[in-house]
Amino acid sequence: MKDRDQWNSKVGFLLAAIGSAVGLGNIWRFPYVAATNGGGAFLLPYFFAIITAGIPILILEYTMGKTFRGGAPVTWARMNRRFEWLGWFQVMIAFIIAVYYFAIVVWVVSYIGFSFTQAWGADPSSFFVEYLGLTDSALNLGGIQTSLIIPFVIIWAIAAFIMYKGVSKGIEKACKICLPILFVLMLVLVIRGVTLPGAVDGLEYMFKPDWNALKDPSVWVAAYGQIFFSLSIAFAIMLAYSSYLPKKTDVVNSAFITATANHGFELFAGIGVFSIMGYMAMMQGVPVSEVAGAGIGLAFMTFPTAISALPALNALFGICFFGALFTAGITSLISILQAVVSGFHDKFEMSHKKAVTVVMVPAFLLSFLFITGAGMNILDIVDAFINNIGIASAGVIEVILVTRFFNPEKLRQEANEFSNFSIGRWWVFSLRIVTTVVLGIMLFLNTKDYLYNGYGEYASADVNVFGWGTILFVIVIADALTTMKGKDGYRDLDKIAYKEVN
């Protein structure tokens, strides 16, 4: 096989890994999850989940990628030929996420422009619905929305430019530019937020502990779900990124740095978001709980209302907020795409540019679904199923295969070989027992809920086509790619040539 690209430095890898982990969910998902699952008390199961699942799986995936020198399918195949299917399952999950992630970044770009004049007016919710041309059903496409075409092309052009440049010259450089910008923009938001009247009420809503919540198993499940959602684990990204590491990289330290930076950013973003929610609640004379929201509603409906209500510098604040979403979205998007690209590059020995083309063309075509009038409905359903069923399944299978059908002690020794501090047998215990049990429970509860109750208020046809249909699509394509013949030796590490960087 041709020499694989590598990161120019450990710092470059860490910035890329942090850029992947620090995505849109850090800004709009974590604060709400914490606030509605015990507030300050939620931090206890949250940090427990980091120690028992987040960091152990990061160490696992960093070690696997660095040791077996391939994207997810090839890494799993080199561990055991029968494991290759899981790699393609994870890659296809990443592919689906990349397709709809484009749409969100497209909306963000538009809202950067809208921020200059607060074009959303007095009713941001209605404006957002009209802007998307939102239909009443995921199956009622309503045609492509022409207002979305220009930002759609812009985002595709940016993503393609970065991806064709490769790992070191494209992704690494992009993250070195975007991460500092993201931090500065978020710093502006936090400083402005905590200086607003009513900010204390918002922070109290987020951090006031409700210790009784810890008795609820769903709170603990939510903590583990947030960790998987946030750290980009179990769906091929970190396996791919770590496969470009030099042999002597300290993966244990790298995992702790990545997790600490990511979760520190989540808490930091939460302070900014809920400070502003507190101000907004005070202005409207209602409790914070009535204005607080999560996900798309927070970003495109609630926050524009808050921006318009600010006493000064509204445009600047809007540009900072949506600029932060844009930079976080881009670094996550390119990481998701690279997870897919590496799978094709490594198994079929394609050139990097050919692999990018093989991935980007079908992704481009499928992403048109998300700029139709049904785009947000489709996105909502697909996102719920791919995260709560797809990633949870991949995580459960991953830890079971490693701890039950492979010798995890070998991986522990490999992780410790070049690390400044060693991981003990607690690492294997966490993966084999704690992570397996909690993820198994989470997967069971999610699957049971969707089977019995459907999802949201969507019709069963919508859920069957775009929810269960997406899971079926991922499984079928993963199986087809597994059975395809790869280049000779792609499973054999000894036959792989790669550049050694000291």
Side-chain angles (χ1 to χ4, degrees), residues 234-465:
F235 61 105
I237 293 176
M238 294 309 179
L239 287 174
Y241 267 20
S242 56
S243 73
Y244 301 104
L245 283 171
K247 178 69 175 175
K248 297 181 180 179
T249 302
D250 180 344
V251 293
V252 176
N253 191 36
S254 297
F256 274 91
I257 292 173
T258 303
T260 301
N262 175 70
H263 301 310
F265 182 86
E266 280 190 324
L267 289 170
F268 189 60
I271 291 171
V273 168
F274 270 89
S275 293
I276 295 160
M277 293 300 99
Y279 168 75
M280 188 173 168
M282 185 201 72
M283 293 294 292
Q284 297 180 7
V286 298
V288 178
S289 58
E290 288 192 20
V291 300
I296 292 169
L298 170 67
F300 299 103
M301 299 177 189
T302 305
F303 237 83
T305 302
I307 291 167
S308 296
L310 290 174
L313 302 176
N314 310 68
L316 176 62
F317 193 78
I319 292 167
C320 285
F321 175 71
F322 289 106
L325 289 182
F326 173 75
T327 49
I330 285 293
T331 55
S332 293
L333 176 60
I334 57 179
S335 73
I336 299 167
L337 288 169
Q338 184 58 36
V340 186
V341 168
S342 66
F344 287 91
H345 172 273
D346 293 339
K347 177 171 180 175
F348 302 109
E349 203 177 15
M350 299 176 178
S351 67
H352 175 77
K353 290 185 177 180
K354 183 177 180 180
V356 170
T357 302
V358 166
V359 172
M360 296 284 276
V361 170
F364 173 77
L365 296 175
L366 281 174
S367 64
F368 274 100
L369 269 177
F370 297 94
I371 61 169
T372 64
M376 190 172 79
N377 293 327
I378 298 172
L379 188 154
D380 188 24
I381 298 170
V382 172
D383 179 65
F385 274 77
I386 210 69
N387 278 284
N388 297 324
I389 304 293
I391 294 179
S393 299
V396 170
I397 297 170
E398 177 173 307
V399 293
I400 289 176
L401 290 184
V402 168
T403 60
R404 305 292 178 180
F405 300 96
F406 188 81
N407 184 1
E409 185 62 26
K410 291 182 179 180
L411 292 174
R412 188 175 76 88
Q413 293 172 3
E414 182 69 29
N416 287 338
E417 184 177 0
F418 300 105
S419 297
N420 292 329
F421 62 95
S422 300
I423 50 171
R425 297 184 184 278
W426 65 268
W427 179 72
V428 176
F429 175 82
S430 291
L431 292 174
R432 177 174 287 165
I433 306 298
V434 180
T435 305
T436 302
V437 170
V438 175
L439 281 180
I441 292 172
M442 185 170 72
L443 176 61
F444 172 76
L445 293 177
N446 290 338
T447 304
K448 179 183 177 182
D449 183 40
Y450 290 162
L451 283 173
Y452 283 91
N453 303 317
Y455 174 68
E457 298 180 359
Y458 296 102
S460 58
D462 292 354
V463 174
N464 289 336
V465 171

Side-chain angles (χ1 to χ4, degrees), residues 81-92:
R81 294 190 177 203
R82 293 173 294 177
F83 293 175
E84 183 183 339
W85 178 85
L86 175 59
W88 283 115
F89 182 67
Q90 292 176 328
V91 161
M92 288 311 301

Side-chain angles (χ1 to χ4, degrees), residues 34-45:
T36 55
N37 283 279
F42 178 76
L43 297 180
L44 182 61

